[in-house]
């Protein structure tokens, strides 16, 4: 490695030249400072105030902006700033330095804490349905509300449904642990897939929809949720959820038959309760005795569809052959049966039940 | 208050004002004295108003009265079918009902006319209890007839029990994932715990809750561990209007049983005036 070497005379010359250059530079700097003392003073106060927000810049009263003179700038910390927690009382407010005014006047360009430029929000259209933006989160809420709750309740319902079905099946036939895990994994996968579909659909939702846009998008929401609802309908083998298909594919034919039989019994039980309730309402309307109700009960089983609602049952009874009517009802009741059912403005409770009939 | 002003020397204007005041005071006292004489007339008028208060006050009140009369008439028909009353018994019973029904159901009419919906007013239960009381009050009705009617009422209650428990079992089936065999077991367990209040609750639109502790013995270990599903797929909502299962009878028609009508001496319900606001035409 070669290192440069200088002789003594050359070194001395270089040193002298450097000393002269440095002196000239210092002098010119001082002169320049002297010339622009006042602007510099202002600039210093601004930058200090900016840095510490509350720093005070004091300029001696005798400091004149005379060219060629050095101006002493004293920088200190105001008492209010030194103890910001001292309070916000009036005295402190009064003691606030004059520099506050200076801080207020700071141009935006120097303001380090200036707010971020606001995100441009699309102004709602004049004919928008709602005066707020429908972001994907809101649309997600709308979609899950169609299924009777939030995303959390959807998760909970689905998992519980699988567990409950498996528990019920185990009462009739054995389901080994492996199949159980397989079914639960499939159900989990289905839940995730549905949630992804919901997210994807929610992302497409219009932000400020008009009535038409809302209806159009709502149709898509309905399609998605209806598909899910149909899966939950009993006796819908074609649109059965995947986890149910997996479960059934792992059961023997004998077990399937047993399950089917049990499901039918449960459906029949529920329908019988509905029919009994209709019979009770008919009985109240016509004033039937226990013997008359006993005579009517076989009719409930022979035509189950006709006894689902009070209106249907009333119409069915009106259309009964005269001979059968005379066998069951009294003359007063037959007269009563000719009248239409009264309608009330009272609120009526409607219960819709979606049973899982595995 | 007046005394200090009178001690000072009164001017002409003050004196005349004082005289006018005295005249007014005397006139008022005369009016009061006449009023005292007219008090019996006022009292009589008040009695007439009280009788009028028994009339339907609005459309809902009128509807409630028609439903109650309809239900009473149905009960009379059923009593005749079950108990086979003779003419004397029928006459006594029908007269008693016609005379008392308005007062007996005054609170029902008030509740219904003040409520926004039928919830809370169980017409059927109230009529049933009243008819039972009336039957006891008619001395000529025999104990056999009484017991036949009680059997009829028990049969009605049995049907109600089957309905409410059936609904509760259906609910439990969904919540706990019951099999058909378990449903029968749960049904038996609920029959043991039957309460009359469940029917009233059900009539008002609420299926009584099936408590886990009541039916836990019928559940499997896995079902017991899983517990109840609080979020069953079930929607409940109210809708306006619908068919009514209550019979109605005009306020102008008398109660009848086995061709015997109530006595003409018993006044019928005054009809609501057609021109009155919020009242239905008779």
């Amino acid at each position: 490695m070669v290192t440069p070497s200088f002789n003594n005379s050359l070194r001395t010359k270089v040193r002298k030249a450097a000393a002269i250059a440095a002196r000239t530079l210092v002098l010119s700097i001082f002169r320049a400072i002297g010339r622009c003392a006042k602007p510099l003073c202002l600039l210093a106060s601004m930058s200090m105030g900016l840095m510490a927000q509350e720093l005070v810049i004091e300029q001696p009263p005798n400091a004149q902006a005379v060219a060629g003179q050095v101006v002493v700038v004293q920088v200190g910390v105001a008492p209010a700033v030194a103890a910001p927690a001292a309070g916000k009382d009036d005295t402190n407010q009064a003691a606030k330095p004059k520099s506050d005014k200076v801080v207020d006047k700071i141009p935006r360009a120097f303001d380090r804490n200036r707010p971020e430029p606001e995100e441009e929000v699309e102004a709602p259209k004049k004919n928008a349905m709602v005066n707020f933006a429908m972001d994907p989160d809101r649309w997600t809420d709308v979609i899950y509300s169609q299924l009777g709750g939030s995303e959390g309740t959807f998760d909970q319902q689905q998992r519980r449904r699988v567990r409950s079905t498996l528990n019920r099946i185990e009462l009739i036939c054995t389901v080994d642990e492996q199949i159980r895990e397989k079914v639960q994994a499939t159900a989990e996968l289905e839940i995730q897939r549905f949630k992804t579909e919901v997210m994807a659909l929610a992302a497409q939702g219009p932000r400020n929809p008009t009535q038409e846009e809302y209806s159009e998008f709502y149709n898509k929401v309905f399609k998605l949720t209806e598909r899910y609802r149909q899966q939950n309908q009993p006796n819908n083998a074609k649109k059965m959820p995947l986890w149910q298909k997996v479960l059934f594919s792992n059961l023997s034919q004998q077990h399937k038959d047993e399950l089917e039989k049990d499901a039918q019994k449960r459906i029949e039980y529920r329908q019988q309760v509905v029919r009994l309730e209709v019979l009770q309402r008919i009985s109240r309307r016509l004033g039937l005795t226990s013997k008359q109700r006993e005579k009517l009960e076989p009719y409930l089983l022979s035509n189950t569809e006709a006894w689902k609602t009070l209106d249907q049952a009333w119409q069915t009874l009106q259309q009964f052959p005269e001979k059968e009517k005379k066998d069951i009802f009294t003359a007063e009741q037959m007269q009563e049966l000719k009248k239409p059912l009264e309608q009330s403005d009272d609120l009526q409770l409607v219960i819709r039940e979606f049973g899982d009939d595995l | 208050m007046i005394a200090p002003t009178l001690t000072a020397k009164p001017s002409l204007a003050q004196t005349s004002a004082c005289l006018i005041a005295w005249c007014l005071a005397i006139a008022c006292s005369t009016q009061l004295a006449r009023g005292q004489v007219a008090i019996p007339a006022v009292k009589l008028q008040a009695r007439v108003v009280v009788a009028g208060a028994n009339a339907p006050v609005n459309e809902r009140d009128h509807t409630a009265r028609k439903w109650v009369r309809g239900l009473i008439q149905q009960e009379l028909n059923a009593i005749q079918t079950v108990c086979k009353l003779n003419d004397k018994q029928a006459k006594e019973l029908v007269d008693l009902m016609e005379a008392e029904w308005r007062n007996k159901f005054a609170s029902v009419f008030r509740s219904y006319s003040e409520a926004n919906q039928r919830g809370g007013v169980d017409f059927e239960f109230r009529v049933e209890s009243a008819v039972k009381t009336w039957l006891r009050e008619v001395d000529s009705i025999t104990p056999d007839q009484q017991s036949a009617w009680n059997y009829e009422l028990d049969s009605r209650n049995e049907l109600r029990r089957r309905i409410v428990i059936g609904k509760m079992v259906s609910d439990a089936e969904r919540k706990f994932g019951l099999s058909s065999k378990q449903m029968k077991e749960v049904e038996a367990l609920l029959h043991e715990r039957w309460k009359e209040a469940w029917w009233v609750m059900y009539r008002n639109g609420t299926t009584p809750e099936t408590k886990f502790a009541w039916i836990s013995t019928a559940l499997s270990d896995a079902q017991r561990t899983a517990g109840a599903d609080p979020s069953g797929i079930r929607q409940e909502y109210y809708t306006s209007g619908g068919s009514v299962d209550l019979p109605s009878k005009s306020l102008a028609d008398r109660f009848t049983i086995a061709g015997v009508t109530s006595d003409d001496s018993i006044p019928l319900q005054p009809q609501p005036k057609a021109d009155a606001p919020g009242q239905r035409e008779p």
Side-chain angles (χ1 to χ4, degrees), chain A residues 168-169 171-174 235 240 247-267 357-358, chain B residues 180:
Chain A
R168 194 192 333 243
I169 287 175
L171 295 169
I172 297 156
C173 57
T174 46
N235 304 325
M240 198 185 272
L247 179 63
F248 269 102
S249 64
N250 285 288
L251 293 175
S252 68
Q253 189 56 44
Q254 188 197 344
H255 285 160
K256 278 183 200 171
D257 292 345
E258 281 172 10
L259 285 175
E260 184 62 31
K261 216 165 128 184
D262 189 71
Q264 281 304 323
K265 278 184 186 171
R266 285 185 285 116
I267 293 170
D357 288 293
L358 259 183
Chain B
S180 60

Side-chain angles (χ1 to χ4, degrees), chain A residues 119-158:
Chain A
E119 192 185 337
E120 281 186 22
V121 180
E122 197 182 329
K125 292 166 196 167
K126 277 183 184 174
N127 54 349
M129 262 187 76
V130 287
N131 60 357
F132 52 86
M134 288 291 289
D135 56 15
D137 282 349
R138 289 189 193 215
W139 278 120
T140 307
D141 289 346
V142 168
I143 295 169
Y144 282 113
S145 70
Q146 294 302 305
L147 298 170
S150 63
E151 191 178 342
T153 49
F154 171 78
D155 264 10
Q156 201 186 357
Q157 271 180 12
Q158 292 305 300

Side-chain angles (χ1 to χ4, degrees), chain A residues 199-300:
Chain A
M199 274 168 65
L201 185 63
Q204 293 170 21
R207 282 176 75 84
N208 292 304
T210 57
Q211 182 70 51
E212 293 77 29
E213 285 170 342
Y214 186 88
S215 306
E216 193 185 328
F217 186 70
Y218 190 81
N219 285 340
K220 289 180 188 173
V221 172
F222 181 78
K223 267 185 194 172
L224 181 68
T225 51
E226 188 59 17
R227 201 184 69 204
Y228 164 81
R229 268 196 223 102
Q230 279 179 359
Q231 283 183 353
N232 285 334
Q233 288 300 311
N235 304 325
N236 197 349
K238 280 183 189 172
K239 290 180 178 175
M240 198 185 272
L242 193 61
W243 64 269
Q244 282 185 14
K245 285 179 186 167
V246 170
L247 179 63
F248 269 102
S249 64
N250 285 288
L251 293 175
S252 68
Q253 189 56 44
Q254 188 197 344
H255 285 160
K256 278 183 200 171
D257 292 345
E258 281 172 10
L259 285 175
E260 184 62 31
K261 216 165 128 184
D262 189 71
Q264 281 304 323
K265 278 184 186 171
R266 285 185 285 116
I267 293 170
E268 178 48 35
Y269 184 94
R270 285 206 296 259
Q271 288 178 350
Q272 176 66 10
V273 174
V274 173
R275 287 195 295 266
L276 279 179
E277 194 186 358
V278 172
L279 176 66
Q280 198 271 335
R281 296 184 76 184
I282 291 280
S283 172
R284 176 165 48 224
R285 182 70 182 76
L286 292 175
L288 301 183
T289 61
S290 55
K291 281 183 184 166
Q292 286 175 315
R293 281 196 298 271
E294 275 169 24
K295 281 182 189 172
L296 265 180
E297 277 202 43
Y299 291 96
L300 305 185

Side-chain angles (χ1 to χ4, degrees), chain A residues 59-74:
Chain A
Q59 188 181 358
N62 56 352
Q64 296 291 323
V66 181
Q69 274 190 339
V70 176
V71 177
V72 180
V73 177
Q74 292 177 345

Side-chain angles (χ1 to χ4, degrees), chain B residues 1 30 93 125 138 179 188 216 247 264 269:
Chain B
M1 287 294 283
T30 316
L93 182 64
F125 173 75
V138 176
S179 67
S216 63
D264 290 342
Q269 171 78 61

Side-chain angles (χ1 to χ4, degrees), chain A residues 158-187 243-244 246-248 250-251 259 266 356 358, chain B residues 176-179 182 220 222-223 226:
Chain A
Q158 292 305 300
R159 293 199 181 105
R160 186 173 272 279
R161 191 163 171 248
V162 177
R163 208 166 46 230
S164 165
T165 307
L166 286 167
N167 287 344
R168 194 192 333 243
I169 287 175
E170 276 180 343
L171 295 169
I172 297 156
C173 57
T174 46
V175 180
D176 63 40
E177 196 56 33
Q178 202 184 351
I179 297 172
R180 201 182 171 97
E181 280 173 12
K182 206 170 160 184
V183 169
Q184 278 177 336
T186 314
W243 64 269
Q244 282 185 14
V246 170
L247 179 63
F248 269 102
N250 285 288
L251 293 175
L259 285 175
R266 285 185 285 116
D356 48 334
L358 259 183
Chain B
F176 297 98
L178 306 181
S179 67
Q182 282 178 322
S220 71
Q223 285 171 328

Side-chain angles (χ1 to χ4, degrees), chain B residues 91-138:
Chain B
K91 185 71 179 165
E92 273 184 45
L93 182 64
V94 89
D95 283 352
L96 182 66
M97 285 177 171
E98 195 75 82
E100 289 191 356
W101 78 277
R102 271 181 304 234
N103 291 333
K104 203 118 188 159
F105 295 98
S107 64
V108 173
F109 307 144
R110 197 167 48 247
S111 300
Y112 183 72
S113 61
E114 285 170 4
N116 292 323
Q117 54 171 316
R118 203 170 74 192
V121 185
D122 193 348
F123 289 92
E124 192 189 14
F125 173 75
R126 295 295 297 269
V127 169
E128 229 174 65
S129 321
V131 169
K132 203 175 170 182
T133 313
W134 280 324
L135 269 179
R136 273 203 304 265
E137 285 173 12
V138 176

